């Protein structure tokens, strides 16, 4: 077949091989200019033009870029790459700022080089950033890091100045109103709209919030607290006991303690003053207590429910009580309390009469532990933790088994992963059970840390919060996956509506959630 040319198979051009890539997207708030959806649109367009196939998406929504901590998707991506488990050789992000606005020099480049060392490149589809590592790219990393850091600092400064301006105008900037007070929403023209309930927030940016006196019964009790303290000479602990005996709860629905009484006695909002910046910790810096001359304030911003004279008298008593003791006298009283109880804690100190508060010991000696050392008290917390941890491991096994038994008893199907203890219920959702041990701070406050296994990705984490003795459950938190994005969650006694909305006293609600219903029961018509 002369004149007929047939190309050999090897000469026939083949389809180009697409590079496998992971997309990384991030936004700090829901109001950012470039949402994760917009970022993905740009990344897909970049991928289509450059022969890239997006095989994985790592998304951090509502996460600050100032540090890697707390950005679960970012850290999971980095760990997957460093461990050699990545099924891609390229990461594509929208621009350098989405990678991070790190506050430490070279931190952004550090994570990029971890990826590069494992054979995974980092590309950006916007900003004119070179996609090949070299001297120019290194220079660009440094410049971009400085720009991102300065942007965060400038933005933080502008926000802080804006908050200070609003404080001086007499508007409230977040936080619980406190017992005897309520939050009142104001329109832009200053007219009152309505009272905000616990957990509610203003929806319009132009609205403002002020504090206003609460129910008359609460206002009377606040004044009674000041009267008992200033005229009757009652301690915070004695006042708390009286309130609890009468069945009166705090604004958060909890029993009174000497600490909560002390807060009422020392907060200037009860005389109508709006005070801000008592503590600060901008960006990634540690929080610190500020000197009074650094406070931002607006005196007389709210309606007072306690007279300034009575308030100042209370402050003089508090100051004199803590100042009248020398270091030796404070330690002698602490030693006497130790001999009486055989053990010490912040709660024991605050509940005792005739002795400075736990915070006074912290301020005078640097920490409660240091004060303990000076009187020869050595807390045995490390030894007790060994026994507590052993008991909690046994409790976890029992809780998982009991939960499975209860679910099956009501007709739900349950399978249990023998290695991870992950439960699959009704072949519809997964659940993980964790035990949160109660820890006591140096000031006697109770805290819980919940460790969440992001690698399992349960739809619901059932967190069992233990009581102060760690010998029985206190309550339960049912945490849905889309609401909890951190590996660790810290809880205190009160955590605000956004978290405490998931708190329950028992497992009944969880069982009800897992109970299957007949269609006729759901739709009787």
């Amino acid at each position: 077949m002369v004149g007929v040319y047939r190309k050999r198979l090897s000469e026939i051009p083949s389809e180009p091989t697409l590079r496998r890539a992971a997309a990384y997207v991030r936004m700090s708030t829901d109001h950012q200019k470039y949402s994760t959806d917009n970022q993905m649109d740009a990344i897909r367009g970049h991928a289509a033009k450059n022969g890239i196939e997006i095989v994985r998406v790592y998304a951090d929504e509502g996460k600050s870029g100032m540090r890697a901590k707390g950005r679960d998707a970012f850290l999971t991506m980095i760990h997957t790459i460093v461990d050699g488990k990545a099924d891609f050789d390229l990461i594509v992000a929208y621009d350098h700022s989405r990678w991070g606005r790190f506050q430490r020099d070279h931190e952004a480049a550090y994570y990029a080089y971890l990826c590069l060392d494992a054979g995974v490149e980092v590309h950006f589809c916007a900003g004119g950033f070179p996609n090949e590592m070299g001297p120019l790219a290194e220079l660009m990393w440094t410049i971009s890091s400085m720009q991102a850091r300065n942007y965060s600092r400038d933005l933080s400064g502008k926000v802080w100045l804006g908050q200070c301006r609003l404080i001086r105008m007499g508007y409230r900037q977040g936080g619980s109103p406190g017992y005897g007070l309520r939050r009142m929403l104001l329109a832009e023209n200053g007219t009152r709209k309505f009272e905000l309930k616990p957990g509610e927030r203003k929806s319009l940016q132009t609205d403002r919030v002020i504090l206003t006196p609460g129910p008359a019964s609460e206002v009377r009790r606040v004044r009674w607290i000041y009267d008992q303290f200033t005229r009757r000479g009652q301690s915070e602990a004695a006042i708390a006991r009286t309130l609890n005996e009468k069945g009166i709860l705090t604004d958060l629905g909890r029993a009174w303690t000497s600490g909560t009484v002390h807060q009422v006695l020392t907060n200037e909002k009860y005389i109508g003053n709006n005070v801000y910046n008592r503590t600060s910790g901008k960006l990634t810096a540690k929080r610190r207590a500020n000197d009074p001359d650094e406070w931002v304030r607006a005196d007389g911003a709210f309606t007072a429910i306690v007279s300034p004279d009575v308030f100042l008298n209370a402050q003089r008593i508090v100051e004199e009580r803590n100042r009248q003791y020398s270091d030796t006298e404070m330690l002698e009283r602490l030693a006497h309390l130790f001999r009486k109880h055989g053990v010490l804690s912040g709660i024991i100190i605050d509940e005792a009469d005739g002795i400075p508060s736990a915070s006074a010991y912290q301020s005078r000696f640097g920490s409660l532990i240091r004060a303990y050392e000076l009187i020869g008290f050595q807390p045995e917390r490390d030894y007790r933790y060994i026994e507590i941890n052993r008991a909690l491991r046994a409790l976890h096994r029992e809780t998982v088994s009991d939960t499975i038994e209860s679910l099956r008893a009501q007709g739900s199907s349950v399978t249990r992963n023998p290695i991870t203890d992950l439960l699959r219920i009704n072949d519809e959702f997964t659940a993980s059970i964790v035990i949160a041990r109660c820890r006591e701070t140096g000031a006697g406050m109770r805290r819980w840390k919940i460790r969440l296994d992001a690698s399992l990705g349960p739809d619901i984490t059932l967190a069992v919060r233990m009581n102060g003795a760690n010998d029985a459950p206190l309550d339960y938190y049912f945490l849905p996956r889309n609401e909890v994005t951190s590996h660790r969650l810290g809880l205190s006694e009160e955590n605000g509506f956004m978290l405490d909305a998931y708190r329950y006293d028992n497992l009944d609600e969880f069982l009800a959630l897992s109970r299957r219903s007949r269609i006729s029961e759901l739709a009787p018509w």
Side-chain angles (χ1 to χ4, degrees):
M1 299 180 67
V2 180
V4 178
Y5 295 91
R6 295 182 178 179
K7 292 186 177 181
R8 294 181 179 180
L9 185 61
S10 60
E11 296 176 345
I12 298 176
S14 59
E15 293 293 326
T17 302
L18 298 177
R19 294 192 65 180
R20 294 172 61 85
Y24 176 71
V25 293
R26 180 190 67 80
M27 66 177 183
S28 297
T29 70
D30 294 334
H31 306 291
Q32 267 190 305
K33 178 180 179 181
Y34 297 107
S35 70
T36 52
D37 289 340
N38 291 340
Q39 293 172 47
M40 278 305 305
D41 289 343
I43 289 173
R44 290 190 185 97
H46 175 83
K49 294 178 181 178
N50 293 276
I52 297 171
E53 178 186 8
I54 303 299
V55 298
R56 293 283 180 274
V57 176
Y58 295 93
D60 281 317
E61 298 189 2
K63 297 293 182 179
S64 169
M66 292 188 292
R67 62 175 70 185
K69 182 179 179 181
R71 293 163 60 187
D72 293 342
F74 181 81
L75 290 177
T76 298
M77 178 180 69
I78 297 296
H79 291 158
T80 300
I81 294 169
V82 172
D83 292 342
K85 299 179 180 179
D87 59 351
F88 49 86
D89 61 4
L90 183 66
I91 298 171
V92 182
Y94 177 75
D95 63 11
H96 187 275
S97 69
R98 299 305 90 200
W99 185 256
R101 299 186 187 277
F102 298 102
Q103 300 301 294
R104 293 184 294 185
D105 292 337
H106 311 304
E107 189 171 358
Y110 165 75
Y111 287 109
Y113 274 108
L114 284 180
C115 299
L116 185 63
D117 189 57
V120 178
E121 298 176 12
V122 179
H123 286 196
F124 301 115
C125 58
F129 207 93
N131 287 329
E132 297 293 335
M133 296 305 293
L136 177 59
E138 292 178 7
L139 177 62
M140 289 293 290
W141 274 103
T142 301
I143 294 174
S144 296
S145 295
M146 292 175 60
Q147 290 175 335
R149 183 170 62 250
N150 290 336
Y151 172 85
S152 296
R153 290 177 177 173
D154 290 345
L155 181 62
S156 174
K158 292 175 181 177
V159 170
W160 186 80
L161 289 174
Q163 289 175 327
C164 291
R165 174 177 172 272
L166 293 175
I167 288 293
R168 293 189 179 99
M169 293 174 66
Y171 299 127
R172 181 77 171 172
Q173 294 296 296
S176 172
Y179 189 82
L181 297 168
R182 295 293 186 270
R183 295 176 301 150
M184 177 61 65
L185 190 67
L186 302 183
E188 185 177 11
N189 60 4
T191 59
R192 297 193 173 202
K193 298 178 72 173
F194 55 85
E195 183 181 290
L196 290 171
K197 297 178 181 178
E200 291 184 342
R201 300 181 181 181
K202 67 186 186 75
S203 57
L204 298 179
Q205 189 174 5
T206 54
D207 284 349
R208 297 290 178 251
V209 177
I210 63 170
L211 293 183
T212 187
S217 59
E218 289 189 18
V219 173
R220 285 196 303 271
R221 290 182 192 123
V222 169
R223 292 169 179 167
W224 176 86
I225 289 173
Y226 274 88
D227 181 75
Q228 293 295 303
F229 186 73
T230 58
R231 295 182 63 248
R232 309 280 182 176
Q234 293 291 307
S235 66
E236 292 98 323
I239 295 172
R241 283 195 296 269
T242 301
L243 290 169
N244 291 331
E245 289 170 358
K246 294 181 177 181
I248 299 169
L249 301 177
T250 68
D251 55 313
L252 298 175
R254 302 297 177 91
W256 288 87
T257 66
S258 58
T260 52
V261 173
H262 187 77
Q263 291 174 3
V264 172
L265 289 168
T266 56
N267 200 308
E268 291 188 43
K269 61 188 176 185
Y270 289 102
I271 57 172
N273 292 348
N274 199 19
V275 183
Y276 180 67
N277 200 45
R278 296 189 216 196
T279 62
S280 62
K282 297 182 179 65
L283 298 178
T284 58
K286 292 183 178 180
R287 298 199 67 80
R288 66 178 180 91
N290 294 325
D291 294 330
D293 58 359
E294 297 181 77
W295 296 359
V296 181
R297 60 190 308 123
D299 294 342
F302 314 127
T303 301
I305 62 177
V306 175
S307 72
D309 290 341
V310 171
F311 181 83
L312 291 176
N313 191 19
Q315 307 323 299
R316 283 193 290 268
I317 294 173
V318 171
E319 293 173 6
E320 182 61 27
R321 183 180 60 188
N322 292 335
R323 186 173 54 235
Q324 66 182 340
Y325 301 113
S326 65
D327 290 358
T328 302
E329 289 172 327
M330 288 184 69
L331 293 175
E332 286 177 349
R333 291 176 181 268
L334 188 63
H336 174 75
L337 189 65
F338 173 43
R339 289 192 295 269
K340 178 180 178 180
H341 292 274
V343 68
L344 290 174
S345 71
I347 293 178
I348 292 175
I349 295 172
D350 283 337
E351 296 294 336
D353 293 329
I355 184 172
S357 64
S359 60
Y361 279 97
Q362 286 180 301
S363 176
R364 184 73 65 89
F365 299 102
S367 69
L368 275 180
I369 298 299
R370 177 57 181 160
Y372 294 162
E373 292 175 350
L374 293 174
I375 64 167
F377 169 54
Q378 181 64 44
E380 297 181 354
R381 297 179 67 180
D382 292 339
Y383 301 103
R384 289 188 287 113
Y385 278 2
I386 296 175
E387 296 299 324
I388 291 173
N389 287 339
R390 184 179 296 117
L392 293 184
R393 285 193 293 271
L395 176 66
H396 180 267
R397 291 192 296 270
E398 295 173 4
T399 303
V400 172
S401 299
D402 291 345
T403 303
I404 292 175
E405 183 177 345
S406 298
L407 288 167
R408 288 174 175 169
Q410 69 175 16
S412 300
S413 65
V414 188
T415 58
R416 173 183 182 179
N417 187 307
I419 299 176
T420 64
D421 282 330
L422 186 69
L423 305 182
R424 178 169 291 279
I425 303 170
N426 297 328
D427 286 328
E428 294 171 347
F429 69 95
T430 57
S432 176
I433 299 175
V434 298
I435 306 294
R437 183 181 66 194
C438 180
R439 295 175 172 85
E440 188 176 288
T441 68
M445 305 299 291
R446 293 191 298 176
R447 296 290 185 268
W448 295 263
K449 286 186 178 180
I450 299 176
R451 290 182 173 85
L452 303 166
D453 196 335
S455 62
L456 298 179
D459 297 306
I460 295 178
T461 296
L462 196 164
V464 183
R465 196 164 68 157
M466 300 301 292
N467 64 8
N470 284 298
D471 58 5
L474 174 66
D475 51 26
Y476 303 81
Y477 279 75
F478 307 153
L479 304 169
R481 180 174 59 182
N482 62 333
E483 293 291 338
V484 182
T485 57
S486 175
H487 288 294
R488 292 188 178 185
L489 179 66
L491 297 179
S492 56
E493 296 187 39
E494 292 87 26
N495 305 283
F497 176 78
M498 297 303 291
L499 274 177
D500 282 347
Y502 300 112
R503 189 190 72 81
Y504 298 91
D505 294 327
N506 50 52
L507 293 177
D508 291 349
E509 291 294 332
F510 179 77
L511 295 175
L513 172 69
S514 308
R515 186 180 299 120
R516 282 189 162 180
S517 301
R518 298 176 62 87
I519 296 298
S520 59
E521 295 176 0
L522 295 176
W525 62 88

